[in-house]
Amino acid sequence: MLLNEFLTEYDDSLGSELNIDPLGLQVIWSAFGQQIFQNRISSISNDIRNYTLNLFNHWLIKNLIDDDSVALGNGLKKIYGGKNDLNFKHACLVYLENLYVYSVIAHQDIAGLESTGVLGISKARCRWYERSGNPRLSFSHNSEAQVLVRQTMLGVSGRYKTPLVEMGFFDRQYHYSLPTAAPLWKSAETLFKGVPTLSRLYHLLRLHLRELLASNSGEPKRDFSDIPTTLTLALIEAFPSSAVVGTRTCDFWLSITELDQGAPGALYKVLSPANRGEGLSSSSAAAVFEKAVKQPLSLKAQGKLEHVRLLEPLLGELDLLFNLMLAEKSQSLKEVQRRWEALGRNAATLKSYADPIEENVAMSSVLSATGQSRLNRLLILARQGDAPAQICTLLNYHAQVMESRGQSPWLTLVNGAQLKLHVRPRAEPTLADRPLGCWVHQYYIPQFRHLLGGLQGVAA
């Protein structure tokens, strides 16, 4: 085999893309964002179809576990210690996720069905065509049964696990019978039995799984062609798109997540359809927060929004300063200072944004130990008396963050005065690009917009 057909030359421009968040700011800003959203929203859990699909799958599994008439066949008894075995639950989740994604591919030409946002769809298509439209589904927790690599972490159940844990449906070991979970499951049952497409799907899936679990083979397998078409059609009728699912489940999810109340509720009101005429559906996070904080709120809820409005201007300015340090392959500290001052900044800029944070003692209770340590060091940095000292302190801070990850710093100081860059230079922004106090982090506002779009029946 000629390996030259598969190998390419090393591209050093890729190196800088392998590392993200060079200042380690995510652990800081995300904590303040999650103080508002309480882990209901994140960069990987923000689609109402996947939210609902995950809860539906767990509700089905819970009912199978609770039903003593549903027994495992001899083959599965040798693998799992019973229906409460965590690996058994993983096998159920993987099987249900794979059955759904293959059903989407099988019926992809049906009007109203959207494959965008279906997790694992690309890899599933590969398997679909490799098996000439008849992939095999295995009931197993092992990697061989998974369409996605590490599917129990990166599939629907993995990505939407934390929100449901935070709401109280189950714990991280998928124990469903928690003392506080009963009313939540009752509400879920009311929803799923009350929506005809979900109720019908439940009965079809339950019948299918009951037959599958009774198998005496070690790990039951089914060719997709053996799955009744009534079942695969029922899956896509129940979960055709985020907009359709959101329309059917909006009231339920708002009552369970409470995203329309308190601090997230203020953001919800700003982003609601009634305000679209004001351009707020696509405006910056800063503008959304500015309007949200003016809503009638409790002091506690208002404080959560104010924390972000105090924090982000400092983080944005630190991000800007670091980007100016990355503007040339080699430049002096004086040159970085010149770039900083050309954008209307000076030695007092960082301190002016740091002072209100230090004065707000409630902000110190939000962060983890790592986040608080990093923020403290950045506040100390802001108090340095001149720009070169601030630049050097930021350089040392960056090096420590990268060292903690086992990575090399993006730039180093040579002879105490010259910065040497080890990654691709960044474009130098203008003052129009980065006005004073400009925000660079979004605090889950784009993800919240996406979730609300689904809840409000708006196509993504």
Side-chain angles (χ1 to χ4, degrees):
M1 179 181 291
L2 297 176
L3 292 179
N4 288 338
E5 293 181 23
F6 302 95
L7 300 179
T8 60
E9 292 186 10
Y10 173 70
D11 182 356
D12 63 359
S13 71
L14 298 177
S16 64
E17 304 304 324
L18 297 178
N19 299 326
I20 59 172
D21 191 24
L23 297 180
L25 300 181
Q26 182 173 349
V27 71
I28 299 174
W29 71 258
S30 64
F32 285 93
Q34 290 305 342
Q35 181 187 215
I36 295 170
F37 290 110
Q38 297 180 294
N39 294 298
R40 272 60 165 163
I41 305 290
S42 76
S43 59
I44 61 172
S45 54
N46 54 69
D47 184 276
I48 203 62
R49 173 169 55 173
N50 289 326
Y51 238 121
T52 310
L53 177 63
N54 188 32
L55 182 61
F56 179 87
N57 287 345
H58 279 291
W59 179 63
L60 173 60
I61 294 166
K62 176 183 180 298
N63 287 346
L64 291 172
I65 292 172
D66 291 343
D67 187 348
D68 292 336
S69 70
V70 177
L72 300 185
N74 292 330
L76 290 178
K77 284 181 180 178
K78 295 176 182 178
I79 301 173
Y80 303 111
K83 291 188 291 182
N84 273 305
D85 189 320
L86 179 60
N87 283 333
F88 170 77
K89 296 171 186 175
H90 281 156
C92 290
L93 290 165
V94 168
Y95 185 87
L96 290 169
E97 288 177 19
N98 292 348
L99 182 56
Y100 173 68
V101 71
Y102 286 136
S103 297
V104 171
I105 296 172
H107 302 290
Q108 60 189 350
D109 294 329
I110 288 182
L113 175 62
E114 293 181 3
S115 61
T116 302
V118 175
L119 297 178
I121 191 80
S122 296
K123 290 188 177 295
R125 285 191 198 281
C126 292
R127 293 196 181 188
W128 180 271
Y129 292 118
E130 285 171 1
R131 291 290 302 260
S132 301
N134 190 25
R136 174 161 291 189
L137 292 98
S138 299
F139 185 89
S140 172
H141 64 283
N142 292 317
S143 59
E144 293 78 11
Q146 300 175 19
V147 167
L148 280 171
V149 177
R150 294 184 296 154
Q151 186 166 335
T152 55
M153 293 178 62
L154 301 179
V156 175
S157 59
R159 293 187 181 212
Y160 289 80
K161 179 177 183 176
T162 294
L164 296 186
V165 169
E166 291 293 323
M167 291 175 214
F169 281 98
F170 44 74
D171 62 17
R172 296 204 168 272
Q173 299 302 308
Y174 291 140
H175 293 129
Y176 299 118
S177 299
L178 303 178
T180 57
L184 294 171
W185 286 117
K186 185 65 176 177
S187 296
E189 182 177 17
T190 300
L191 169 71
F192 294 138
K193 287 187 175 180
V195 177
T197 54
L198 294 173
S199 178
R200 179 170 179 267
L201 175 62
Y202 167 74
H203 291 293
L204 290 171
L205 273 176
R206 189 178 184 282
L207 183 65
H208 175 69
L209 283 178
R210 184 172 186 140
E211 177 269 330
L212 190 75
L213 298 179
S215 172
N216 286 320
S217 62
E219 291 181 346
K221 302 178 188 297
R222 295 289 185 275
D223 287 339
F224 187 79
S225 60
D226 295 330
I227 308 296
T229 303
T230 52
L231 174 53
T232 61
L233 279 171
L235 274 163
I236 64 164
E237 288 170 359
F239 300 101
S241 67
S242 293
V244 171
V245 173
T247 300
R248 297 167 177 169
T249 64
C250 179
D251 291 342
F252 167 80
W253 281 118
L254 289 180
S255 68
I256 294 293
T257 62
E258 299 183 339
L259 288 173
D260 60 344
Q261 302 175 36
L267 298 169
Y268 174 88
K269 290 181 178 69
V270 171
L271 295 172
S272 69
N275 288 318
R276 284 183 188 156
E278 301 177 29
L280 289 166
S281 62
S282 60
S283 60
S284 69
V288 172
F289 271 83
E290 181 181 3
K291 191 169 182 66
V293 80
K294 297 175 183 176
Q295 301 284 329
L297 289 167
S298 68
L299 290 177
K300 182 178 180 181
Q302 189 172 49
K304 293 178 181 180
L305 300 177
E306 289 289 7
H307 289 173
V308 170
R309 298 184 72 226
L310 291 178
L311 174 70
E312 182 53 27
L314 175 63
L315 299 188
E317 292 301 307
L318 289 165
D319 175 85
L320 173 62
L321 180 56
F322 190 73
N323 272 278
L324 295 178
M325 295 163 65
L326 301 174
E328 297 285 350
K329 273 291 186 181
S330 179
Q331 62 177 325
S332 66
L333 297 179
K334 288 291 186 183
E335 180 61 17
V336 177
Q337 181 179 358
R338 184 198 65 76
R339 295 176 189 274
W340 180 244
E341 292 174 349
L343 293 179
R345 277 73 171 179
N346 55 44
T349 299
L350 295 178
K351 186 175 185 302
S352 69
Y353 291 117
D355 284 347
I357 298 173
E358 293 197 273
E359 292 167 4
N360 193 314
V361 294
M363 294 181 69
S364 63
S365 64
V366 175
L367 295 167
S368 65
T370 298
Q372 189 60 55
S373 173
R374 288 183 182 175
L375 181 58
N376 288 342
R377 285 156 59 195
L378 293 173
L379 293 173
I380 292 171
L381 180 161
R383 294 199 300 268
Q384 300 301 304
D386 55 54
Q390 291 172 345
I391 295 166
C392 288
T393 306
L394 185 58
L395 179 67
N396 291 334
Y397 168 87
H398 161 69
Q400 291 171 6
V401 167
M402 300 303 281
E403 182 181 8
S404 71
R405 300 172 177 168
Q407 298 175 337
S408 300
W410 289 13
L411 70 170
T412 51
L413 189 63
V414 179
N415 298 324
Q418 195 77 11
L419 290 172
K420 181 179 180 182
L421 193 58
H422 306 296
V423 295
R424 182 172 53 187
R426 299 293 176 90
E428 183 177 359
T430 65
L431 183 56
D433 297 327
R434 300 290 292 269
L436 275 166
C438 180
W439 289 30
V440 295
H441 304 108
Q442 298 299 305
Y443 296 87
Y444 305 109
I445 292 299
Q447 291 80 11
F448 194 32
R449 279 197 184 100
H450 183 78
L451 186 80
L452 293 184
L455 285 174
Q456 295 161 357
V458 179

